[in-house]
Amino acid sequence: MNDELGEAPDIAGILIAVIAVAALLIWVERRLLAFWQDRLGPNRVGPLGLMQVVADMIKMFFKEDWIPPFADKPIFVIAPTIVFITALAAFAVIPFAPGVGIIDFNFGLLYFLALSSLSVYSIVLAGYASNNKYSLLGGLRAAAQTVSYEVFMGISIMGVVMLAGTFDLREIVEAQRGGWFIVPQFVGFVIFLIAIVAESRRGPLDLPEAEQELVAGFHTEYSGMKFGMFFVGEYVAIILSSAIIVTLFFGGWLGPWLPPLAWFCLKTGIGVLFFILIRGALPRPRYDQLMAFGWKILLPAGLLNLVITGALALPPG
């Protein structure tokens, strides 16, 4: 563990930047989806519609924070905070650049996996506490989907761990100075990408909140700032997912000419745009198709990739 990191300005700066970018992504996603689908997005409030985000935030702050009388009130209130806190806490181990970060663990990758697993508690508790059949079904879907795809996500990155010889994310980036892991671990990258989209419940794998079947799924009964925490937490998860993909497969901050932090932000930004694009480009599968695809295709492919990587990476005899 690197004790030089973890200064108060680093922590405050990173958290403020993440929350600010997550708020801006609300506008970015709506504008990009409108552009790609040949329609108009928010363009009335402020220049280029930028003040639409501010208007939405004001609306959420002052909207009635209603709790259904049939809900389990303590759990109903706690649930939205879990998804927000776990997503922000996971940024603690992301290495943004040399000397830029919060803290280094020699098991940073395991820490990330643990916090990504904890986020499912928020969805399950929200579905249970709402005492609504649509919310409960959304929570159950989230539990099965997240637990299943965690298995494939963990297996997919073991090849990266083998090549780098460590769980420390900063050392994994340094191990890519000779070449990004996207090349030798392309199969692992594809599996990890699909798994992390399912983990973050982003379209087209947003089945726990599929509006055609479940109204709004696990957050059907939420309003005001509680809904806002779910909403912003989703965008924080997008940034986190892009950052961890860049760290594991695209060399993190490594790159020529530009400063290391600029390279990391550029790569992460491209990843965020990709997350937005697939939401507007791909149809949502049926829930049984999603689960069957994971266990019948991703699991064997991940295990095969693991075996081949082990055979090639380990020294003979």
Side-chain angles (χ1 to χ4, degrees), residues 8-20 88 91-92 94 96 100-102:
D10 287 342
I11 298 173
I14 289 171
L15 292 182
I16 292 171
V18 168
I19 294 173
L88 285 179
F91 276 97
I94 298 295
F96 296 90
V100 181
I102 295 178

Side-chain angles (χ1 to χ4, degrees), residues 160 176 180-182 185 188-189 192 245-251:
V160 170
Q176 298 179 68
W180 296 352
F181 286 156
I182 179 65
Q185 284 297 302
F189 163 71
F192 184 79
I245 288 172
V246 167
T247 301
L248 295 177
F249 296 99
F250 290 96

Side-chain angles (χ1 to χ4, degrees), residues 99-297:
V100 181
I102 295 178
I103 197 166
D104 287 341
F105 288 130
N106 54 9
F107 51 87
L109 186 54
L110 296 179
Y111 173 85
F112 164 78
L113 292 174
L115 284 178
S116 66
S117 303
L118 287 176
S119 65
V120 71
Y121 284 98
S122 170
I123 313 304
V124 173
L125 292 176
Y128 160 77
S130 295
N131 199 14
N132 175 304
K133 62 181 179 181
Y134 298 110
S135 300
L136 180 59
L137 284 173
L140 292 174
R141 280 187 176 186
Q145 177 174 317
T146 304
V147 171
S148 297
Y149 276 79
E150 276 173 9
V151 175
F152 321 136
M153 186 165 67
I155 292 174
S156 67
I157 57 178
M158 285 302 103
V160 170
V161 173
M162 285 183 181
L163 295 177
T166 179
F167 284 98
D168 189 324
L169 292 174
R170 194 169 293 273
E171 292 184 15
I172 288 175
V173 173
E174 292 291 346
Q176 298 179 68
R177 289 194 177 274
W180 296 352
F181 286 156
I182 179 65
V183 177
Q185 284 297 302
F186 183 75
V187 174
F189 163 71
V190 172
I191 297 172
F192 184 79
L193 178 62
I194 297 172
I196 207 164
V197 172
E199 279 273 305
S200 56
R201 298 172 300 280
R202 283 285 299 177
L205 305 183
D206 54 344
L207 295 166
E209 48 184 290
E211 64 271 13
Q212 291 93 334
E213 312 145 54
L214 302 181
V215 189
F218 60 89
H219 57 71
T220 298
E221 301 292 348
Y222 282 88
S223 63
M225 282 307 298
K226 294 185 184 66
F227 171 78
M229 294 187 74
F230 278 124
F231 193 56
V232 177
E234 178 180 324
Y235 288 97
V236 173
I238 295 174
I239 302 171
L240 175 64
S241 300
S242 300
I244 197 69
I245 288 172
V246 167
T247 301
L248 295 177
F249 296 99
F250 290 96
W253 65 78
L254 300 178
W257 309 309
L258 297 176
L261 184 59
W263 270 118
F264 185 88
C265 294
L266 178 62
K267 294 176 185 178
T268 303
I270 294 173
V272 169
L273 296 183
F274 178 78
F275 270 82
I276 295 173
L277 174 61
I278 60 174
R279 177 187 174 183
L282 298 178
R284 182 186 290 129
R286 293 200 319 263
Y287 188 69
D288 62 304
Q289 292 173 333
L290 174 68
M291 300 302 289
F293 178 75
W295 289 106
K296 295 180 180 179
I297 296 178

